[in-house]
Amino acid sequence: MISFDFQQKVALVTGGTKGIGRAIVMALLQGRARVVVTYSSDDVAADAFLQSLTAENKQRVNLLKSDVASRQDVRSLFEKEPITLVVNNAGILKQGDFQDLTDEQWDRTLAVNLKGPFMVGQEFLKHGPKGGAMVNISSIGGQTGGSKAPDYAASKAALISLTRSLARLGSARNIRVNAVAPGWIKTDIFSDEQLVNLQQEAAKVIPMGRLGMPEEIAGSVLFLLSGQASYITGHCLNVNGGLHFG
Ligand SMILES: NC(=O)c1ccc[n+]([C@@H]2O[C@H](COP(=O)([O-])OP(=O)(O)OC[C@H]3O[C@@H](n4cnc5c(N)ncnc54)[C@H](OP(=O)(O)O)[C@@H]3O)[C@@H](O)[C@H]2O)c1
């Protein structure tokens, strides 16, 4: 992976204890950033994440239990540290039959996947420094729709729109805001059974013939956060092995 220099930067990665978020955190640490890492419920995974860090990296990580859907939790993140880079990564996905989709699930999915990035974006545009950058993790589901999780697809489509609004709003202070839309990435967001099915499906329908790995998302996020992307804002970058070109 290309290495980026984020020394002197403080990055916030929501949902950074697992999967894609964790790969982004590790890449930021490799670039010598300080990283505020959040999670909401899985203390075991959070502890395992912390234990996996070297002593040096541990000193550069501030791990916080913080629900991105809570205004108070989000506000306090920005009161603790001078955050200069943001990755809105935390997200939830529950697949099922459309007729079984409850109001409660709809509201929770939208609260975590969309309202969370809105509140983080609002705080960042208030407190963040000139020259800051934000990346929102959307999804191919937001571009194509999805019959197994329409709540998720709607939240991720709206996140692309929010990204463009925040890019317009942030430009006055030279704060860039972009999105990354991953395709099918091998993480714990899917059950083991779902991953087996996805892997078989990937061989048939993804031009590159395989699932993506979290580290392959991290590289694109770091590029968009870095000075190498200094004239890119409001963009949604597909990282999906060719599954969707839109
Ligand atoms: N994997 C894919 O194929 C794929 C494709 C497209 C887009 N994405 C997106 O990529 C992002 C990361 O997905 P992933 O596959 O890495 O998922 P994952 O392995 O399930 O990890 C999700 C992370 O988010 C945290 N989280 C969940 N709800 C939260 C909340 N309310 N507040 C704060 N943190 C919360 C989780 O911690 P706790 O469990 O402790 O809460 C965990 O650290 C999501 O936005 C997802 O929609 C994934």
Side-chain angles (χ1 to χ4, degrees):
M1 186 189 293
I2 308 165
S3 62
F4 294 98
D5 184 6
F6 291 111
Q7 218 166 350
Q8 316 296 336
K9 305 278 187 193
V10 182
L12 165 66
V13 180
T14 65
T17 54
K18 298 178 197 166
I20 292 170
R22 182 191 172 131
I24 294 167
V25 171
M26 298 315 292
L28 282 164
L29 288 171
Q30 205 178 335
R32 308 199 54 76
R34 277 185 47 73
V35 192
V36 178
V37 180
T38 71
Y39 72 104
S40 73
S41 62
D42 190 344
D43 297 318
V44 174
D47 193 51
F49 158 74
L50 208 52
Q51 295 315 319
S52 74
L53 298 176
T54 62
E56 194 195 340
N57 279 344
K58 237 180 230 173
Q59 288 182 348
R60 288 193 278 125
V61 164
N62 185 3
L63 177 63
L64 299 168
K65 193 168 187 171
S66 169
D67 181 0
V68 77
S70 154
R71 171 64 78 170
Q72 189 44 50
D73 283 9
V74 169
R75 189 171 285 145
S76 72
L77 291 175
F78 287 85
E79 286 163 358
K80 287 191 177 80
E81 303 248 11
I83 290 165
T84 47
L85 303 170
V86 169
V87 184
N88 272 312
N89 166 78
I92 52 173
L93 163 69
K94 192 172 168 206
Q95 298 183 333
D97 190 294
F98 178 56
Q99 293 304 333
D100 295 334
L101 176 52
T102 61
D103 294 355
E104 290 72 26
Q105 184 183 321
W106 178 275
D107 290 346
R108 183 64 186 164
T109 302
L110 271 287
V112 174
N113 295 5
L114 182 61
K115 188 177 170 200
F118 148 66
M119 294 190 293
V120 170
Q122 203 173 41
E123 295 294 326
F124 188 51
L125 262 51
K126 186 168 16 164
H127 299 285
K130 281 190 175 174
M134 168 183 282
V135 173
N136 296 325
I137 308 299
S138 179
S139 169
I140 189 170
Q143 299 166 312
T144 63
S147 55
K148 292 182 194 157
D151 52 332
Y152 178 85
S155 71
K156 294 297 186 176
L159 185 54
I160 295 172
S161 170
L162 178 67
T163 299
R164 292 178 179 150
S165 299
L166 291 174
R168 291 180 187 281
L169 290 159
S171 288
R173 296 182 53 217
N174 195 25
I175 292 177
R176 295 179 304 101
V177 185
N178 290 290
V180 167
W184 301 349
I185 311 302
K186 194 174 174 202
T187 73
D188 290 347
I189 207 166
F190 301 112
S191 67
D192 289 348
E193 191 190 339
Q194 285 172 327
L195 275 177
V196 170
N197 292 337
L198 269 184
Q199 232 139 8
Q200 287 169 354
E201 195 63 13
K204 291 185 236 156
V205 303
I206 299 180
M208 289 184 70
R210 62 172 177 86
L211 301 182
M213 298 304 289
E215 293 71 22
E216 294 180 289
I217 304 301
S220 60
V221 171
L222 259 67
F223 164 68
L224 289 171
L225 290 176
S226 78
Q228 299 298 316
S230 56
Y231 200 50
I232 302 177
T233 197
H235 184 69
C236 179
L237 180 60
N238 292 342
V239 187
N240 62 27
L243 183 55
H244 176 74
F245 295 127

